[in-house]
Amino acid sequence: MMEKKKKSGRFYFLFLLVYILIALGVIAFFMTKVWGFAEEYEAARPAHTMDAYVEDLNQNLWNDQVAQAIADMPHEVQSDEECAQVVKDMLSAGISYARTASTDSADSINYALRCGDKVIGKVTLIEDSSLADQVQYGMLPWIVSGAEFDFSGLYSSVEVTVPKSYTVMLNGTTLGSEYIIEDDIQFDLLKDYYSSYPKLPVMVTYRYEHIIGELDPVILDDHGNEVLIDESRGQEQFLNNCSDAELAKLTDFTERFAERYQSYNAGIGDDPATVYVNRLAGYIMPGSDLEFRMKAAQDGLGWAHTNSINIEYTILNSAVSFGEGVYLCDYSSAFTTKGINGTQDFENNIKMIVIDKTGDMSDLRVAEMSMYKKDSEESQ
């Protein structure tokens, strides 16, 4: 009886062992299948291919396609090497990708390559049909079938308005007339004089749009000196073209003229005609409209009854040379008069055309004059 029990126990143990071995074999078989399926599935994921492609780009930051894309971009004032460095610096921030709509075919997938917020290219994936006989579950891996790089999003532009006689340079290259988008721009300060003085300076606007990265323009004046444009100032910064010697002469002339003009216009003296001849006539251009106006005012000046005038200040605000001995002077002057009407305060803001009659600034004359209000710039 005991013998039968022992035989029965051994048989049960062997049966159990065989069962376990078979079960393990089945499990191993299915696990192998599952593992193979998982591997094939992982290899067939498009992201797997893109991750590898982008990782290579991030590590190397350069390939032949990138180099060719840069070479094909217009960059007239920059070398290929300079542009390449700009792109490498940008790519060093890291490249990412995002899936986009596929328009090529149903068997392809498109991804946009991004660097920061800029799209820099496109990658197209297709299934690798050459491995069709090597896959068990019909899931083919994806391969890169094409890549296009477009760095046009890196372009920046520069636009600058300067006197036409100035030179604008970018990266050592002088911009030619083909980059001028607006020509013969009149200065606001001179707008009333262009019809009478055709040689007055004008401005032009340059625009260059093919800068890869950033470039600052270098601006040279008529004499080749570098000019720094002050964005807080207007066009007047380009019109300070008088020498120190000219400014000294014009300042002295303006102060003397302002005193004589304002005294004459206030009616100081008993005989306006005599005052004009003795004091003001030598400062007025003979035959000019201003001479006619000053003489025409004489009848009324005799009734002014002004006893005295006190000039508080006269300031030459600006002086612009028109060339050939012609200047535009802008000055402000404040003065007080006393007469039968009591004490009165005045302020004049005047623009005047000054002519150098002798060529050495020894005889300056006013040919035109207009008064304006500082706030509204309205001529009177």
Side-chain angles (χ1 to χ4, degrees):
M1 192 70 178
M2 291 292 296
E3 182 112 1
K4 285 183 179 181
K5 287 183 177 182
K6 287 182 179 180
K7 288 182 178 181
S8 177
R10 284 196 294 270
F11 177 78
Y12 175 76
F13 175 77
L14 289 175
F15 173 79
L16 183 61
L17 180 61
V18 171
Y19 179 81
I20 291 173
L21 291 175
I22 292 174
L24 290 175
V26 171
I27 293 172
F29 173 79
F30 280 104
M31 287 298 295
T32 300
K33 292 294 184 181
V34 170
W35 186 259
F37 180 87
E39 286 186 329
E40 193 169 305
Y41 172 79
E42 179 65 24
R45 289 178 62 233
H48 178 78
T49 303
M50 285 302 301
D51 286 342
Y53 181 81
V54 171
E55 182 181 0
D56 180 68
L57 274 182
N58 280 323
Q59 288 180 352
N60 297 315
L61 296 179
W62 205 250
N63 60 30
D64 292 341
Q65 290 172 305
V66 175
Q68 188 59 49
I70 294 299
D72 291 340
M73 294 174 64
H75 49 274
E76 299 89 340
V77 303
Q78 295 169 283
S79 66
D80 288 350
E81 291 75 17
E82 290 172 324
C83 296
Q85 189 57 53
V86 171
V87 174
K88 287 179 181 179
D89 292 342
M90 180 205 67
L91 296 180
S92 65
I95 303 170
S96 61
Y97 65 88
R99 188 164 178 171
T100 61
S102 297
T103 57
D104 300 329
S105 71
D107 300 326
S108 64
I109 300 175
N110 290 332
Y111 286 87
L113 294 175
R114 304 180 66 89
C115 186
D117 60 350
K118 298 182 182 296
V119 175
I120 62 171
K122 181 183 79 170
V123 175
T124 300
L125 303 185
I126 60 172
E127 291 181 322
D128 188 358
S129 57
S130 67
L131 299 179
D133 58 347
Q134 299 180 28
V135 296
Q136 293 181 305
Y137 305 100
M139 294 182 291
L140 293 171
W142 294 84
I143 58 173
V144 175
S145 67
E148 301 174 5
F149 290 90
D150 179 7
F151 295 102
S152 58
L154 298 181
Y155 275 139
S156 64
S157 62
V158 62
E159 185 172 313
V160 60
T161 299
V162 296
K164 194 170 185 176
S165 59
Y166 280 25
T167 300
V168 178
M169 303 183 71
L170 278 174
N171 202 31
T173 300
T174 299
L175 297 187
S177 59
E178 65 271 24
Y179 298 106
I180 295 177
I181 61 172
E182 189 174 0
D183 202 350
D184 294 329
I185 304 170
Q186 295 183 353
F187 284 89
D188 292 338
L189 184 64
L190 309 179
K191 62 184 179 181
D192 296 330
Y193 307 101
Y194 282 96
S195 59
S196 301
Y197 304 94
K199 293 185 179 180
L200 288 181
V202 293
M203 296 180 293
V204 295
T205 297
Y206 288 88
R207 182 174 178 83
Y208 182 83
E209 298 182 338
H210 293 154
I211 300 174
I212 297 180
E214 300 289 339
L215 286 178
D216 292 323
V218 175
I219 299 170
L220 306 179
D221 65 15
D222 313 50
H223 306 292
N225 301 313
E226 185 172 347
V227 176
L228 297 179
I229 296 179
D230 186 348
E231 298 296 339
S232 65
R233 299 178 61 198
Q235 301 172 349
E236 71 277 0
Q237 66 184 297
F238 299 122
L239 294 175
N240 296 326
N241 59 347
C242 293
S243 67
D244 291 342
E246 289 175 310
L247 286 174
K249 292 276 189 179
L250 291 170
T251 298
D252 176 66
F253 173 80
T254 298
E255 290 173 350
R256 288 185 285 113
F257 170 79
E259 186 276 326
R260 285 162 173 76
Y261 165 73
Q262 286 156 180
S263 296
Y264 173 75
N265 209 40
I268 302 295
D270 295 329
D271 182 6
T274 302
V275 172
Y276 176 79
V277 171
N278 292 338
R279 302 202 73 231
L280 188 58
Y283 291 78
I284 303 295
M285 191 70 180
S288 65
D289 178 67
L290 181 60
E291 181 185 50
F292 174 80
R293 287 162 52 192
M294 293 297 99
K295 289 181 177 180
Q298 291 176 3
D299 290 341
L301 295 178
W303 300 92
H305 302 296
T306 303
N307 299 324
S308 65
I309 184 170
N310 178 52
I311 307 296
E312 296 181 14
Y313 65 81
T314 297
I315 298 174
L316 180 62
N317 300 315
S318 64
V320 180
S321 173
F322 289 2
E324 300 180 352
V326 181
Y327 300 89
L328 171 63
C329 295
D330 181 317
Y331 78 87
S332 299
S333 183
F335 57 96
T336 302
T337 62
K338 291 183 180 181
I340 62 173
N341 295 320
T343 300
Q344 293 181 288
D345 296 324
F346 298 91
E347 182 178 19
N348 284 342
N349 299 294
I350 292 177
K351 294 177 182 178
M352 59 184 185
I353 297 294
V354 177
I355 307 295
D356 179 8
K357 289 188 64 179
T358 58
D360 60 1
M361 301 191 78
S362 62
D363 187 2
L364 299 173
R365 302 293 182 99
V366 179
E368 300 179 39
M369 188 181 73
S370 62
M371 301 179 67
Y372 69 90
K373 297 178 182 179
K374 270 194 171 181
D375 294 335
S376 62
E377 294 289 315
E378 295 179 353
S379 295
Q380 296 182 347

PDB file of all heavy atoms in Angstrom, residues 5-18:
ATOM      1  N   LYS A   5       1.376   4.388  -2.884  1.00  0.00           N
ATOM      2  CA  LYS A   5       1.334   5.827  -2.579  1.00  0.00           C
ATOM      3  C   LYS A   5       2.597   6.541  -3.046  1.00  0.00           C
ATOM      4  O   LYS A   5       2.552   7.660  -3.550  1.00  0.00           O
ATOM      5  CB  LYS A   5       1.125   6.041  -1.081  1.00  0.00           C
ATOM      6  CG  LYS A   5      -0.292   5.716  -0.627  1.00  0.00           C
ATOM      7  CD  LYS A   5      -0.448   6.021   0.834  1.00  0.00           C
ATOM      8  CE  LYS A   5      -1.899   5.762   1.295  1.00  0.00           C
ATOM      9  NZ  LYS A   5      -2.095   6.090   2.701  1.00  0.00           N
ATOM     10  N   LYS A   6       3.742   5.900  -2.845  1.00  0.00           N
ATOM     11  CA  LYS A   6       4.999   6.534  -3.278  1.00  0.00           C
ATOM     12  C   LYS A   6       5.032   6.684  -4.788  1.00  0.00           C
ATOM     13  O   LYS A   6       5.449   7.714  -5.329  1.00  0.00           O
ATOM     14  CB  LYS A   6       6.191   5.697  -2.815  1.00  0.00           C
ATOM     15  CG  LYS A   6       6.441   5.801  -1.318  1.00  0.00           C
ATOM     16  CD  LYS A   6       7.661   4.988  -0.922  1.00  0.00           C
ATOM     17  CE  LYS A   6       7.935   5.106   0.577  1.00  0.00           C
ATOM     18  NZ  LYS A   6       9.105   4.326   0.962  1.00  0.00           N
ATOM     19  N   LYS A   7       4.579   5.622  -5.520  1.00  0.00           N
ATOM     20  CA  LYS A   7       4.574   5.702  -6.990  1.00  0.00           C
ATOM     21  C   LYS A   7       3.614   6.780  -7.473  1.00  0.00           C
ATOM     22  O   LYS A   7       3.894   7.531  -8.406  1.00  0.00           O
ATOM     23  CB  LYS A   7       4.177   4.340  -7.586  1.00  0.00           C
ATOM     24  CG  LYS A   7       5.253   3.283  -7.460  1.00  0.00           C
ATOM     25  CD  LYS A   7       4.809   1.976  -8.109  1.00  0.00           C
ATOM     26  CE  LYS A   7       5.896   0.904  -8.026  1.00  0.00           C
ATOM     27  NZ  LYS A   7       5.487  -0.355  -8.670  1.00  0.00           N
ATOM     28  N   SER A   8       2.475   6.820  -6.781  1.00  0.00           N
ATOM     29  CA  SER A   8       1.495   7.844  -7.169  1.00  0.00           C
ATOM     30  C   SER A   8       2.056   9.236  -6.929  1.00  0.00           C
ATOM     31  O   SER A   8       1.850  10.167  -7.724  1.00  0.00           O
ATOM     32  CB  SER A   8       0.204   7.649  -6.358  1.00  0.00           C
ATOM     33  OG  SER A   8      -0.726   8.662  -6.668  1.00  0.00           O
ATOM     34  N   GLY A   9       2.800   9.487  -5.869  1.00  0.00           N
ATOM     35  CA  GLY A   9       3.388  10.799  -5.559  1.00  0.00           C
ATOM     36  C   GLY A   9       4.436  11.193  -6.580  1.00  0.00           C
ATOM     37  O   GLY A   9       4.513  12.352  -7.009  1.00  0.00           O
ATOM     38  N   ARG A  10       5.237  10.204  -7.004  1.00  0.00           N
ATOM     39  CA  ARG A  10       6.264  10.520  -7.997  1.00  0.00           C
ATOM     40  C   ARG A  10       5.629  10.884  -9.338  1.00  0.00           C
ATOM     41  O   ARG A  10       6.056  11.789 -10.029  1.00  0.00           O
ATOM     42  CB  ARG A  10       7.218   9.327  -8.149  1.00  0.00           C
ATOM     43  CG  ARG A  10       8.210   9.194  -6.974  1.00  0.00           C
ATOM     44  CD  ARG A  10       9.353   8.274  -7.370  1.00  0.00           C
ATOM     45  NE  ARG A  10       8.876   6.896  -7.591  1.00  0.00           N
ATOM     46  CZ  ARG A  10       8.813   5.972  -6.643  1.00  0.00           C
ATOM     47  NH1 ARG A  10       9.188   6.244  -5.397  1.00  0.00           N
ATOM     48  NH2 ARG A  10       8.377   4.759  -6.927  1.00  0.00           N
ATOM     49  N   PHE A  11       4.575  10.124  -9.665  1.00  0.00           N
ATOM     50  CA  PHE A  11       3.896  10.389 -10.933  1.00  0.00           C
ATOM     51  C   PHE A  11       3.289  11.803 -10.923  1.00  0.00           C
ATOM     52  O   PHE A  11       3.368  12.544 -11.908  1.00  0.00           O
ATOM     53  CB  PHE A  11       2.798   9.331 -11.133  1.00  0.00           C
ATOM     54  CG  PHE A  11       1.997   9.565 -12.377  1.00  0.00           C
ATOM     55  CD1 PHE A  11       2.499   9.219 -13.622  1.00  0.00           C
ATOM     56  CD2 PHE A  11       0.754  10.157 -12.303  1.00  0.00           C
ATOM     57  CE1 PHE A  11       1.749   9.463 -14.749  1.00  0.00           C
ATOM     58  CE2 PHE A  11       0.016  10.405 -13.432  1.00  0.00           C
ATOM     59  CZ  PHE A  11       0.502  10.042 -14.675  1.00  0.00           C
ATOM     60  N   TYR A  12       2.713  12.160  -9.786  1.00  0.00           N
ATOM     61  CA  TYR A  12       2.097  13.484  -9.674  1.00  0.00           C
ATOM     62  C   TYR A  12       3.151  14.581  -9.782  1.00  0.00           C
ATOM     63  O   TYR A  12       2.967  15.610 -10.473  1.00  0.00           O
ATOM     64  CB  TYR A  12       1.355  13.610  -8.342  1.00  0.00           C
ATOM     65  CG  TYR A  12       0.791  14.979  -8.103  1.00  0.00           C
ATOM     66  CD1 TYR A  12      -0.369  15.399  -8.773  1.00  0.00           C
ATOM     67  CD2 TYR A  12       1.439  15.859  -7.225  1.00  0.00           C
ATOM     68  CE1 TYR A  12      -0.865  16.666  -8.558  1.00  0.00           C
ATOM     69  CE2 TYR A  12       0.930  17.126  -7.020  1.00  0.00           C
ATOM     70  CZ  TYR A  12      -0.225  17.531  -7.691  1.00  0.00           C
ATOM     71  OH  TYR A  12      -0.733  18.782  -7.494  1.00  0.00           O
ATOM     72  N   PHE A  13       4.319  14.348  -9.182  1.00  0.00           N
ATOM     73  CA  PHE A  13       5.387  15.341  -9.208  1.00  0.00           C
ATOM     74  C   PHE A  13       5.913  15.521 -10.633  1.00  0.00           C
ATOM     75  O   PHE A  13       6.135  16.637 -11.099  1.00  0.00           O
ATOM     76  CB  PHE A  13       6.520  14.903  -8.271  1.00  0.00           C
ATOM     77  CG  PHE A  13       7.717  15.808  -8.321  1.00  0.00           C
ATOM     78  CD1 PHE A  13       7.696  17.041  -7.676  1.00  0.00           C
ATOM     79  CD2 PHE A  13       8.855  15.424  -9.033  1.00  0.00           C
ATOM     80  CE1 PHE A  13       8.799  17.875  -7.749  1.00  0.00           C
ATOM     81  CE2 PHE A  13       9.934  16.264  -9.088  1.00  0.00           C
ATOM     82  CZ  PHE A  13       9.914  17.498  -8.439  1.00  0.00           C
ATOM     83  N   LEU A  14       6.080  14.371 -11.334  1.00  0.00           N
ATOM     84  CA  LEU A  14       6.549  14.453 -12.713  1.00  0.00           C
ATOM     85  C   LEU A  14       5.527  15.151 -13.595  1.00  0.00           C
ATOM     86  O   LEU A  14       5.867  15.962 -14.459  1.00  0.00           O
ATOM     87  CB  LEU A  14       6.829  13.024 -13.254  1.00  0.00           C
ATOM     88  CG  LEU A  14       8.050  12.313 -12.670  1.00  0.00           C
ATOM     89  CD1 LEU A  14       8.137  10.879 -13.179  1.00  0.00           C
ATOM     90  CD2 LEU A  14       9.329  13.053 -13.022  1.00  0.00           C
ATOM     91  N   PHE A  15       4.264  14.837 -13.370  1.00  0.00           N
ATOM     92  CA  PHE A  15       3.206  15.481 -14.155  1.00  0.00           C
ATOM     93  C   PHE A  15       3.203  16.997 -13.910  1.00  0.00           C
ATOM     94  O   PHE A  15       3.099  17.786 -14.851  1.00  0.00           O
ATOM     95  CB  PHE A  15       1.850  14.885 -13.752  1.00  0.00           C
ATOM     96  CG  PHE A  15       0.689  15.599 -14.387  1.00  0.00           C
ATOM     97  CD1 PHE A  15       0.331  15.344 -15.699  1.00  0.00           C
ATOM     98  CD2 PHE A  15      -0.017  16.546 -13.668  1.00  0.00           C
ATOM     99  CE1 PHE A  15      -0.735  16.022 -16.267  1.00  0.00           C
ATOM    100  CE2 PHE A  15      -1.081  17.226 -14.248  1.00  0.00           C
ATOM    101  CZ  PHE A  15      -1.445  16.963 -15.557  1.00  0.00           C
ATOM    102  N   LEU A  16       3.341  17.356 -12.648  1.00  0.00           N
ATOM    103  CA  LEU A  16       3.358  18.774 -12.305  1.00  0.00           C
ATOM    104  C   LEU A  16       4.564  19.469 -12.912  1.00  0.00           C
ATOM    105  O   LEU A  16       4.470  20.605 -13.433  1.00  0.00           O
ATOM    106  CB  LEU A  16       3.361  18.943 -10.779  1.00  0.00           C
ATOM    107  CG  LEU A  16       3.302  20.379 -10.249  1.00  0.00           C
ATOM    108  CD1 LEU A  16       2.009  21.046 -10.710  1.00  0.00           C
ATOM    109  CD2 LEU A  16       3.397  20.375  -8.713  1.00  0.00           C
ATOM    110  N   LEU A  17       5.711  18.797 -12.885  1.00  0.00           N
ATOM    111  CA  LEU A  17       6.920  19.387 -13.445  1.00  0.00           C
ATOM    112  C   LEU A  17       6.772  19.603 -14.948  1.00  0.00           C
ATOM    113  O   LEU A  17       7.137  20.658 -15.486  1.00  0.00           O
ATOM    114  CB  LEU A  17       8.115  18.483 -13.142  1.00  0.00           C
ATOM    115  CG  LEU A  17       9.481  18.962 -13.667  1.00  0.00           C
ATOM    116  CD1 LEU A  17       9.851  20.300 -13.054  1.00  0.00           C
ATOM    117  CD2 LEU A  17      10.555  17.897 -13.373  1.00  0.00           C
ATOM    118  N   VAL A  18       6.235  18.538 -15.617  1.00  0.00           N
ATOM    119  CA  VAL A  18       6.029  18.666 -17.053  1.00  0.00           C
ATOM    120  C   VAL A  18       5.056  19.801 -17.358  1.00  0.00           C
ATOM    121  O   VAL A  18       5.241  20.600 -18.275  1.00  0.00           O
ATOM    122  CB  VAL A  18       5.520  17.333 -17.639  1.00  0.00           C
ATOM    123  CG1 VAL A  18       5.091  17.511 -19.099  1.00  0.00           C
ATOM    124  CG2 VAL A  18       6.618  16.273 -17.566  1.00  0.00           C
TER     125      VAL A  18
END
